[in-house]
Amino acid sequence: MEENLIYTEQKKVVVLTSRFPHPLDKGDKLRVFHHIIELSKHTRVTLICLHEGPIGEESMAVVTQYCEDVHSYQLSSRNKVINGIKAFFFHIVDQTF
């Protein structure tokens, strides 16, 4: 008969955010970054996020200390303009423009 097994593998969690969480220059980035730090203490974190410009090497290095995987997708200027027009005419609130 098998003995009781203790599962040591950590659970996985995916964090989705509308901005890359570093540098910590805005409140939403600060909040997400500290959530990631706390989650990484007990889970394996995968970050999926949007970003507007290039991500600095230092910022990526800081975030990868806490995330197992980081997937970032750059917003194009065209998409930002389209989302801004939608928000104006259709009263759609969208943080990604």
Side-chain angles (χ1 to χ4, degrees):
M1 185 171 207
E2 290 183 37
E3 296 180 22
N4 291 336
L5 297 177
I6 297 174
Y7 294 103
T8 58
E9 185 175 331
Q10 287 183 321
K11 292 185 178 185
K12 298 177 185 179
V13 66
V14 174
V15 175
L16 298 169
T17 183
S18 60
R19 297 177 197 234
F20 191 78
H22 202 272
L24 303 176
D25 56 358
K26 299 188 181 195
D28 58 334
K29 291 181 178 185
L30 183 66
R31 183 179 62 247
V32 168
F33 184 70
H34 285 286
H35 282 298
I36 289 170
I37 290 172
E38 289 303 313
L39 286 168
S40 71
K41 292 177 181 178
H42 306 287
T43 61
R44 294 166 47 196
V45 178
T46 297
L47 173 65
I48 301 174
C49 63
L50 302 174
H51 65 95
E52 295 178 3
I55 298 171
E57 289 180 25
E58 181 182 329
S59 291
M60 184 62 81
V62 170
V63 171
T64 55
Q65 289 177 15
Y66 304 102
C67 297
E68 182 178 70
D69 291 316
V70 176
H71 303 278
S72 61
Y73 301 93
Q74 187 167 359
L75 288 173
S76 69
S77 297
R78 178 177 170 258
N79 285 346
K80 290 192 294 187
V81 170
I82 289 170
N83 288 339
I85 292 169
K86 283 184 199 177
F88 180 77
F89 287 108
F90 301 108
H91 305 289
I92 298 171
V93 178
D94 187 357
Q95 280 190 321
T96 60
F97 66 86

